[in-house]
Amino acid sequence: MEEYQVEEKSNSISKMSSSTEKGAEKVANSVLLPCKNTSSGCEVTLPHTDKTEHEELCDFRQYPCPCPRAFCSWQGSLDTVLPHLMDQHKSIIMTQGEDIPFKATYINRPGQFNWLMMQSCFGFDFMMVLEKRERYNGHYQFFAIVQLIGTRKQAENFVYRLELNGHKHRLTWEARPCSMDEDITTDIMNSDCLVFDTSVAQLFTENNNLDMNLTIFKGVS
């Protein structure tokens, strides 16, 4: 009899605890919290269960500097990314047009190096990155990729083509550009970009310079 009473009391406590937890959860869900980007202009308030998802897609979210290997700690809204690049990273070449030639100079220089170009067209800005990176034991490869200074949804409206032309050879890569919501370093590490080693680069090199061509297409699925 005592065992039955103890079990009954235990069940009662368990039910009370469950009821209390549900009540607390209901109260927590009814509390509206401000987005962490309030200081940047976001006026949305929402339950804590929706807060993380909203902040990842918030129009006022802060973006890091997209300049690879620059060790730049800057962060800002999407519309301030280009002014930052123009003001703080003056070595980046600025161009306009849908089809732009690009020259990477002194590609045989020792060590790792980046070449960067901004291309403006269709009302958007695209950053082309050519990176010389050591993969293992002194073996170097080149990685070329394009990033839209925009959102993932905006990037889905474009395709870019990178092309190297030599006297006897042609190398072409087409893909959707990365967005500011994506990390180009991850794509480079996964080789999800144009990749070629130094021996291939020599097929397209003249006077220690590598000529490339970047074309942006809009509305290509």
Side-chain angles (χ1 to χ4, degrees):
M1 187 67 174
E2 290 181 356
E3 292 180 358
Y4 175 78
Q5 289 178 339
V6 170
E7 183 178 350
E8 188 177 58
K9 185 176 182 180
S10 175
N11 287 339
S12 177
I13 293 174
S14 177
K15 290 179 180 178
M16 289 177 61
S17 176
S18 177
S19 178
T20 302
E21 290 176 358
K22 289 181 179 179
E25 183 178 353
K26 186 176 181 179
V27 171
N29 289 337
S30 68
V31 176
L32 299 181
L33 303 174
C35 170
K36 69 177 182 180
N37 299 310
T38 298
S39 60
S40 299
C42 184
E43 299 179 353
V44 172
T45 57
L46 63 171
H48 74 94
T49 52
D50 301 329
K51 192 170 185 290
T52 299
E53 182 179 359
H54 162 77
E55 290 175 347
E56 289 177 352
L57 300 173
C58 177
D59 292 337
F60 297 91
R61 61 191 179 278
Q62 301 294 288
Y63 292 89
C65 173
C67 211
R69 295 182 177 273
F71 305 104
C72 181
S73 60
W74 177 90
Q75 284 191 332
S77 58
L78 192 58
D79 61 346
T80 61
V81 173
L82 184 62
H84 163 74
L85 293 175
M86 295 176 66
D87 183 58
Q88 297 298 321
H89 303 280
K90 298 183 184 298
S91 62
I92 300 178
I93 300 171
M94 300 290 177
T95 66
Q96 289 189 348
E98 302 165 23
D99 190 356
I100 299 293
F102 172 74
K103 184 184 294 290
T105 58
Y106 305 109
I107 67 165
N108 293 321
R109 71 183 73 188
Q112 304 186 127
F113 200 79
N114 285 335
W115 294 263
L116 304 174
M117 177 181 77
M118 293 299 302
Q119 182 168 334
S120 298
C121 59
F122 300 113
F124 287 89
D125 299 291
F126 301 81
M127 183 172 71
M128 197 278 283
V129 177
L130 175 65
E131 181 169 309
K132 182 182 180 183
R133 177 187 288 250
E134 183 178 16
R135 293 306 295 260
Y136 56 88
N137 299 329
H139 177 74
Y140 287 86
Q141 286 184 310
F142 290 89
F143 301 83
I145 194 169
V146 173
Q147 183 175 32
L148 170 72
I149 308 302
T151 65
R152 189 191 304 266
K153 186 175 181 179
Q154 291 170 334
E156 291 174 354
N157 296 318
F158 298 97
V159 168
Y160 71 91
R161 177 192 295 154
L162 284 168
E163 192 170 54
L164 282 73
N165 287 299
H167 296 297
K168 298 181 179 180
H169 305 87
R170 174 181 294 177
L171 184 60
T172 302
W173 169 268
E174 287 190 7
R176 177 185 68 81
C178 294
S179 69
M180 286 294 294
D181 299 316
E182 299 163 283
D183 183 6
I184 63 171
T185 301
T186 300
D187 284 346
I188 288 175
M189 294 300 296
N190 294 333
S191 296
D192 189 11
C193 56
L194 175 61
V195 183
F196 52 97
D197 59 26
T198 53
S199 61
V200 172
Q202 297 309 311
L203 298 175
F204 303 97
T205 300
E206 186 173 350
N207 298 324
N208 202 15
N209 299 324
L210 180 67
D211 289 315
M212 304 178 65
N213 207 81
L214 171 59
T215 306
I216 305 294
F217 302 95
K218 184 179 181 181
V220 180
S221 59

